Amino acid sequence: QVQLVESGGGLVQAGGSLRLSCAASGNISSINAMGWFRQAPGKQRELVAAISRGGTSNHLDSVKGRFTISRDNAKDMVLLQMNSLKPEDTAVYYCAAARESYLYYNRVAYWGKGTLVTVSS
């Protein structure tokens, strides 16, 4: 079993920055890819960014150049640095982990409870 605990969400003005953190505990050796999904009101949950244990990462097109995912395997943590935030980034952000080296929604093995990010105009 793996537990994921997010932190760092909050209210920020457009153009501002936030850093989300996800701490993993439990049977960490069973986990490869980690990352972040988000779900805005009335929309489907979408992958924002993911990173493999080896450090290969990918980001949603709409956040490229603004968000950066990173990982510290020794600390069992994954971070999402979010800069130049826009109102359309407003969503609940969920940390996720998979046993494979990639994150697909239907292959997520563990979910965090989510942290709310609100970006005002």
Side-chain angles (χ1 to χ4, degrees):
Q1 188 64 254
V2 172
Q3 293 77 45
L4 304 175
V5 179
E6 306 104 328
S7 62
L11 174 64
V12 65
Q13 290 185 320
S17 298
L18 287 173
R19 186 175 73 172
L20 304 184
S21 299
C22 176
S25 61
N27 188 17
I28 306 302
S29 63
S30 69
I31 295 301
N32 192 324
M34 294 184 68
W36 297 89
F37 288 79
R38 69 184 181 187
Q39 189 164 26
K43 298 184 68 176
Q44 296 294 112
R45 193 170 297 189
E46 64 180 351
L47 180 65
V48 179
I51 186 166
S52 71
R53 186 174 292 276
T56 300
S57 64
N58 63 279
H59 298 75
L60 182 68
D61 284 346
S62 62
V63 309
K64 287 180 179 177
R66 300 189 297 119
F67 293 8
T68 303
I69 192 169
S70 61
R71 183 169 182 168
D72 187 334
N73 290 325
K75 296 181 179 179
D76 301 319
M77 294 187 66
V78 62
L79 306 175
L80 185 68
Q81 180 65 47
M82 305 187 295
N83 299 325
S84 301
L85 283 160
K86 303 175 180 179
E88 51 263 45
D89 296 318
T90 295
V92 176
Y93 285 70
Y94 297 90
C95 185
R99 298 182 179 93
E100 299 88 354
S101 61
Y102 52 85
L103 272 183
Y104 289 118
Y105 179 81
N106 65 346
R107 299 297 296 169
V108 171
Y110 304 100
W111 291 99
K113 293 181 179 179
T115 185
L116 177 63
V117 171
T118 303
V119 184
S120 63
S121 299

